[in-house]
C-alpha cells in the first residue's frame, strides 16, 4: 500500500523534523547556529523569514545545501526526504517545485568579483561560481540566469520597484539582437548591463539608433545620479531583472 505524502512548500517545518531526527532541542540547535532560543522558535513557524546567512548555517549543519533544505518534504511517518531531482542548465541548478515553478540556484556575482566576471567574459572562460543565490521562478528560460549584488543607491528611490544598495537581483540573459533591433518592449524595465569596465543596474527607457546606444535611467533623482546614453559596443551582456532580494 502506498503511503500518503504530506508535502510542505517551505523549509520551516523541515527544520523541526531534521532537528528532532538528530535528537536536538531547540536550545541545542540555537547554540549550534549561534542564535537565541526565541529565534529558532520563530524559524520553525510556517511564516518565518530566515536571513540568508542563518539559513546557510542551518543547511550546513544538516549537511544540506539551501536548495536541498528548501525542498525537504515530510511523509506521514514524519521522515524528511527530497522527492524531486535537480538538474543543471546554463550554469544554474534547478529544483522542480509544484505548479510548474522551480527553485533556481544561480551563480552569484558579488560586487568585489565583478572585474573577475568581466575578464572571464572577455576571455570566454566563465567557470563555476563559488557563490550562488536562490530564487523561485515561474519558467526555465532559454538563456542563462545570473544573480548580481547591487552596488550603490542610484536605483533606490524608496518605491516598491526600488533596487537598493546590496540587494541581490536575478537576471535572465537576453541576446544582443534584442538591443540591436530596438525592441520597444524592452523599455521602462530594470536591467543588469555588463559593460567592459563595470556592471551596472539601470532602467532602459529608449534607443538612439543614430548613435547606436541605449538611454539609461536612474530611479534615484538625486543630482549626483545623472541619466546617460550607453553605446551598445560597450555592453558585453544584458540581463533583464526578474527577481530581487533585499
Amino acid at each position: 500500500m502506498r503511503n500518503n505524502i504530506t508535502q510542505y512548500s517551505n523549509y520551516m517545518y523541515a527544520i523541526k523534523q531534521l532537528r528532532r531526527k538528530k535528537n536536538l532541542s531547540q536550545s541545542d540547535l540555537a547554540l549550534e547556529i549561534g542564535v537565541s532560543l526565541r529565534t529558532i522558535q520563530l524559524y520553525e513557524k510556517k511564516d518565518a523569514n530566515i536571513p540568508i546567512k542563518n539559513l546557510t548555517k542551518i543547511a550546513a549543519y544538516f549537511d544540506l545545501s539551501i536548495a536541498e533544505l528548501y525542498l525537504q518534504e515530510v511523509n506521514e511517518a514524519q521522515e524528511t526526504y527530497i522527492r524531486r531531482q535537480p538538474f543543471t542548465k546554463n550554469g544554474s541548478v534547478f529544483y522542480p517545485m509544484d505548479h510548474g515553478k522551480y527553485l533556481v540556484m544561480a551563480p552569484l556575482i558579488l560586487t568585489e568579483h565583478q572585474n573577475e566576471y568581466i575578464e572571464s567574459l572577455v576571455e570566454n572562460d566563465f567557470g563555476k561560481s563559488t557563490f550562488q543565490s536562490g530564487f523561485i521562478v515561474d519558467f526555465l528560460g532559454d538563456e542563462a540566469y545570473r544573480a548580481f549584488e547591487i552596488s550603490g543607491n542610484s536605483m533606490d528611490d524608496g518605491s516598491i520597484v526600488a533596487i537598493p544598495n546590496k540587494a541581490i537581483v536575478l537576471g535572465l540573459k537576453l541576446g544582443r539582437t534584442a538591443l540591436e533591433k530596438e525592441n520597444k518592449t524592452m523599455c521602462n524595465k530594470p536591467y543588469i548591463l555588463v559593460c567592459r569596465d563595470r556592471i551596472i543596474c539601470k532602467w532602459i527607457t529608449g534607443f538612439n539608433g543614430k548613435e547606436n546606444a541605449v538611454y539609461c535611467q536612474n530611479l534615484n533623482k538625486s543630482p549626483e545620479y545623472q541619466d546617460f546614453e550607453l553605446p551598445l559596443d560597450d555592453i558585453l551582456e544584458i540581463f533583464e531583472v526578474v527577481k530581487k532580494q533585499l
Side-chain angles (χ1 to χ4, degrees), residues 201-217:
C201 180
K202 302 296 174 190
W203 275 52
I204 290 180
T205 58
F207 301 87
N208 185 335
K210 184 177 180 180
E211 299 295 333
N212 198 31
V214 292
Y215 296 116
C216 296
Q217 183 183 73

Side-chain angles (χ1 to χ4, degrees), residues 15 18-19 22-37 39-40 43 53-62:
I15 290 173
L18 290 167
R19 173 178 61 77
K22 279 183 170 284
N23 295 317
L24 294 173
S25 67
Q26 290 180 324
S27 297
D28 293 333
L29 182 58
L31 183 62
E32 293 288 345
I33 303 305
V35 298
S36 67
L37 169 60
T39 297
I40 292 298
Y43 286 179
K53 65 177 182 179
N54 288 344
L55 191 59
T56 301
K57 291 179 181 178
I58 293 172
Y61 180 76
F62 292 113

Side-chain angles (χ1 to χ4, degrees), residues 7-152:
Q7 179 182 320
Y8 295 84
S9 61
N10 55 66
Y11 38 68
M12 294 76 174
Y13 190 82
I15 290 173
K16 179 188 293 185
Q17 301 309 315
L18 290 167
R19 173 178 61 77
R20 288 177 172 176
K21 189 175 182 179
K22 279 183 170 284
N23 295 317
L24 294 173
S25 67
Q26 290 180 324
S27 297
D28 293 333
L29 182 58
L31 183 62
E32 293 288 345
I33 303 305
V35 298
S36 67
L37 169 60
R38 178 59 178 161
T39 297
I40 292 298
Q41 291 172 338
L42 290 174
Y43 286 179
E44 292 187 357
K45 289 186 176 181
K46 188 174 182 179
D47 58 351
N49 183 16
I50 305 179
I52 189 68
K53 65 177 182 179
N54 288 344
L55 191 59
T56 301
K57 291 179 181 178
I58 293 172
Y61 180 76
F62 292 113
D63 295 322
L64 300 169
S65 67
I66 293 178
E68 290 169 336
L69 178 61
Y70 192 94
L71 291 174
Q72 288 288 316
E73 297 179 0
V74 182
N75 62 21
E76 61 182 12
Q78 303 301 295
E79 298 169 332
T80 56
Y81 69 102
I82 295 179
R83 175 166 58 87
R84 303 173 181 86
Q85 294 300 312
F87 59 91
T88 301
K89 181 179 180 181
N90 294 326
S92 296
V93 182
F94 292 84
Y95 294 80
M97 302 179 68
D98 285 342
H99 310 297
K101 297 181 183 294
Y102 297 87
L103 173 63
V104 53
M105 300 301 294
L108 170 61
I109 292 83
L110 297 171
T111 302
E112 58 265 33
H113 296 149
Q114 288 185 358
N115 288 337
E116 296 174 20
Y117 181 72
I118 293 172
E119 290 175 4
S120 73
L121 295 180
V122 173
E123 298 174 1
N124 195 27
D125 186 31
F126 176 66
K128 184 177 180 181
S129 175
T130 304
F131 302 94
Q132 291 181 316
S133 188
F135 293 84
I136 295 176
V137 297
D138 298 325
F139 58 93
L140 290 179
D142 294 328
E143 297 291 342
Y145 281 106
R146 296 287 183 267
F148 295 87
E149 181 183 29
I150 300 301
S151 175

